[in-house]
């Protein structure tokens, strides 16, 4: 399908109601399923694992075969069960978003994560939204799509954008700064997050 045709369809249908409840992933913070959200910041993978731990069922995790820093199952065992993860490592850049799109369209797993080297463009995000909505209508779940992007992120058209980075204090206590930088239905907001390897909780908001 040409990009202009995909954009036309997405403009017409990308906000249809699907009836699936929001996914709570950190206290009362929630993500809308059947949509694509962006996580950025140096602790973006940890935040994605937190979402995975809040869900049940398989997780498809897509990352480039050439990207260093593979997830260590022993390192996130207390956050999410590694046995639930299916790792996909495309060798070509164009296959990263294609793999995510196909996984969302199938509607067979509740969470699809793409660990990307750069933020994708608007047309790619629209196609992912449409794939997630198609999966909701034709599959057995309302799939949630997460794209992980380096630095400050900035993918256009995402349902929400979240930034997480360490803010650890003295004495070995773990802490992070969480920012909701974009959301269609919620204001921008900052939180202090505390907790150990097997738990994160909201401590304060600003």
């Amino acid at each position: 399908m040409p990009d202009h045709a995909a954009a036309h369809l997405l403009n017409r249908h990308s906000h249809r109601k699907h009836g699936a409840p929001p996914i709570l992933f950190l206290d009362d913070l929630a993500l809308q399923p059947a949509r694509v959200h962006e996580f950025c910041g140096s602790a973006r993978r940890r935040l994605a694992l937190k979402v995975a731990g809040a869900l049940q069922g398989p997780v498809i995790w897509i990352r480039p075969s050439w990207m260093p820093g593979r997830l260590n199952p022993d390192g996130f065992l207390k956050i999410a069960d590694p046995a639930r993860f299916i790792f996909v490592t495309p060798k070509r850049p164009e296959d990263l978003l294609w793999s995510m799109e196909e996984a969302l369209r199938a509607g067979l797993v509740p969470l699809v994560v793409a660990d990307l080297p750069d933020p994708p463009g608007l047309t790619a995000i629209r196609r992912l939204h449409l794939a997630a909505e198609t999966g909701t209508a034709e599959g057995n779940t309302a799939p949630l799509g997460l794209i992980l992007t380096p630095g400050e992120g900035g993918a256009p058209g995402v349902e929400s954008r979240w930034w997480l980075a360490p803010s650890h204090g003295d004495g070995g206590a773990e802490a992070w700064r969480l920012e909701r930088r974009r959301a269609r239905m919620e204001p921008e907001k900052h939180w202090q997050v505390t907790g150990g390897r097997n738990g994160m909780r909201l401590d304060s908001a600003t």
Side-chain angles (χ1 to χ4, degrees), residues 71-82:
L71 288 180
N72 179 3
D74 291 335
F76 66 85
L77 179 61
K78 293 184 179 180
I79 304 174
D81 182 1

Side-chain angles (χ1 to χ4, degrees), residues 8-204:
H8 174 68
L9 289 174
L10 286 156
N11 286 336
R12 292 179 59 192
H13 300 298
S14 61
H15 299 293
R16 66 189 181 190
K17 295 181 180 180
H18 50 71
I23 297 167
L24 298 177
F25 68 99
L26 187 58
D27 294 348
D28 61 347
L29 299 184
L31 298 172
Q32 189 65 39
R35 304 294 287 168
V36 176
H37 306 259
E38 181 180 23
F39 287 0
C40 54
S42 59
R44 60 191 179 276
R45 296 181 183 92
R46 183 177 185 113
L47 191 59
L49 289 169
K50 179 66 176 177
V51 174
L55 292 167
Q56 296 182 346
V59 176
I60 293 181
W61 191 290
I62 304 163
R63 60 179 295 280
S65 61
W66 63 89
M67 181 184 287
R70 296 175 182 270
L71 288 180
N72 179 3
D74 291 335
F76 66 85
L77 179 61
K78 293 184 179 180
I79 304 174
D81 182 1
R84 296 169 47 212
F85 284 66
I86 301 169
F87 293 101
V88 180
T89 54
K91 295 182 179 180
R92 303 187 306 171
E94 58 267 30
D95 290 337
L96 291 171
L97 293 178
W98 178 87
S99 298
M100 185 178 194
E101 187 176 332
E102 291 300 304
L104 290 170
R105 183 178 291 112
L108 298 177
V109 301
L111 178 61
V112 182
V113 181
D115 196 347
L116 304 175
D118 299 290
L122 179 59
T123 298
I125 294 297
R126 286 175 167 173
R127 291 180 67 96
L128 293 172
H129 283 315
L130 181 58
E133 293 177 354
T134 301
T136 300
E138 301 180 2
N140 57 18
T141 187
L144 174 68
L146 296 180
I147 58 169
L148 313 184
T149 56
E152 304 299 306
V158 291
E159 184 73 11
S160 67
R161 178 178 303 115
W162 302 76
W163 178 92
L164 183 71
S167 181
H168 305 321
D170 298 331
E174 290 191 295
W176 300 265
R177 178 177 173 84
L178 175 64
E179 299 181 5
R180 182 171 59 208
R181 294 186 168 183
R182 168 191 166 89
R184 293 186 184 276
M185 305 300 292
E186 299 288 345
E188 296 181 3
K189 198 168 183 179
H190 303 164
W191 294 267
Q192 185 74 7
V193 180
T194 59
R197 291 183 61 190
N198 60 341
M200 300 172 69
R201 63 182 183 275
L202 298 182
D203 186 39
S204 61

